[in-house]
Amino acid sequence: MAKQRVLFLCNANSARSLMAEALLRHMAGQHFEAYSAGVEPDQPHRATLEALDRLGVKSDGLASEPLETYAGQYFDSVIILCEKTQQQCREWPGDAGELLFWDILDPRLSAREDAYAQALQEIRTRLQLWLNVKRRET
């Protein structure tokens, strides 16, 4: 059976979407191909990579990609992780089986010391729930 393709989108592709990409590979890489992109891509944030490392999730090969890299491609699921990107991507410029919106607070904008760990945990919890639904569907 072919792996399902999943694309995570957020504004800068430097924190939340990279976390989601790495987590999905870690949690269910045998069933999913995970990708991420940003509307205004920036470099992966150091705190993002550190949070993944503390959780034991590999961050090798993570890179901030522009949304246009994946335009026109098919994804089984496109998951938008911030409101700003949702406003700009109401219509995904490709083909998607499902388009989901999870509004995760941007850890870059928080003064909390544990902001990246908190965002990572929220994404992990949502992915666990989403994976449970996907397992029931198959």
Side-chain angles (χ1 to χ4, degrees):
M1 186 171 163
K3 290 183 180 184
Q4 291 189 33
R5 299 182 79 223
V6 180
L7 177 64
F8 296 98
L9 300 175
C10 69
N11 191 54
N13 192 219
S14 65
R16 296 163 290 182
S17 54
L18 290 176
M19 290 176 177
E21 176 186 353
L23 276 171
L24 183 57
R25 287 181 182 161
H26 178 78
M27 295 167 70
Q30 68 276 23
H31 301 292
F32 296 91
E33 290 179 16
Y35 305 89
S36 66
V39 176
E40 300 170 3
D42 199 350
Q43 295 298 315
H45 198 282
R46 180 182 47 80
T48 298
L49 304 176
E50 290 171 356
L52 288 166
D53 188 52
R54 279 193 300 277
L55 194 60
V57 176
K58 292 180 182 178
S59 61
D60 305 352
L62 288 181
S64 297
E65 300 283 348
L67 175 66
E68 294 78 25
T69 300
Y70 301 105
Q73 294 186 35
Y74 175 80
F75 289 92
D76 296 283
S77 302
V78 175
I79 302 174
I80 299 171
L81 300 172
C82 71
E83 188 173 345
K84 185 174 183 179
T85 300
Q86 188 215 19
Q87 296 299 320
Q88 295 175 329
C89 295
R90 288 192 185 278
E91 294 295 323
W92 162 242
D95 189 13
E98 67 179 352
L99 183 62
L100 303 172
F101 175 55
W102 300 346
D103 192 17
I104 309 291
L105 186 65
D106 188 347
R108 297 174 311 150
L109 304 178
S110 175
R112 292 183 54 147
E113 189 174 310
D114 67 342
Y116 284 84
Q118 187 176 25
L120 186 59
Q121 184 56 48
E122 184 175 350
I123 293 166
R124 184 177 185 197
T125 299
R126 288 183 189 230
L127 277 174
Q128 287 172 326
L129 294 169
W130 181 77
L131 287 168
N132 285 340
V133 169
K134 290 294 177 191
R135 286 185 190 108
R136 288 187 189 136
E137 291 176 355
T138 55

